[in-house]
Amino acid sequence: MEYKYKTNGTCSLEIHFTIEDDIVSNIQFMGGCPGNLKALAKLLDGQNVAFIEEKLLGNTCGMRGTSCADQLAKAVRKAYEE
């Protein structure tokens, strides 16, 4: 299933990805730091929801209480539970 998640509190505005069972692929960030986020998407392609949450949930960016990575962890959990 293709999924779009509107981010909150980050430079990226939206995250697009595919989720089948609990495997996440085709991750794309709309906005944000392109080099870092492309690398993050490549590293996480084919990983499951629990792995992504374990590695990324709670990561922050500067003084923000979240980050693009944290938002991805929240997005994949939400998609998985729907």
Side-chain angles (χ1 to χ4, degrees):
M1 169 175 103
E2 290 184 24
Y3 196 80
K4 294 180 181 179
Y5 180 84
K6 293 205 181 279
T7 59
N8 183 20
T10 62
C11 297
S12 65
L13 303 175
E14 197 169 67
I15 306 169
H16 301 181
F17 58 92
T18 303
I19 187 166
E20 296 294 331
D21 297 317
D22 78 335
I23 303 300
V24 180
S25 59
N26 303 317
I27 302 165
Q28 295 180 316
F29 290 85
M30 305 300 121
C33 304
N36 291 332
L37 296 176
K38 284 180 187 176
L40 185 64
K42 286 179 182 181
L43 290 169
L44 297 174
D45 190 61
Q47 295 294 336
N48 66 31
V49 172
F51 178 85
I52 293 171
E53 282 183 313
E54 177 187 328
K55 299 298 181 187
L56 303 180
L57 193 63
N59 286 341
T60 59
C61 182
M63 301 289 288
R64 301 172 185 185
T66 190
S67 68
C68 294
D70 180 58
Q71 290 291 295
L72 176 61
K74 292 174 181 178
V76 298
R77 173 52 63 187
K78 183 176 179 184
Y80 179 66
E81 290 178 351
E82 287 186 357

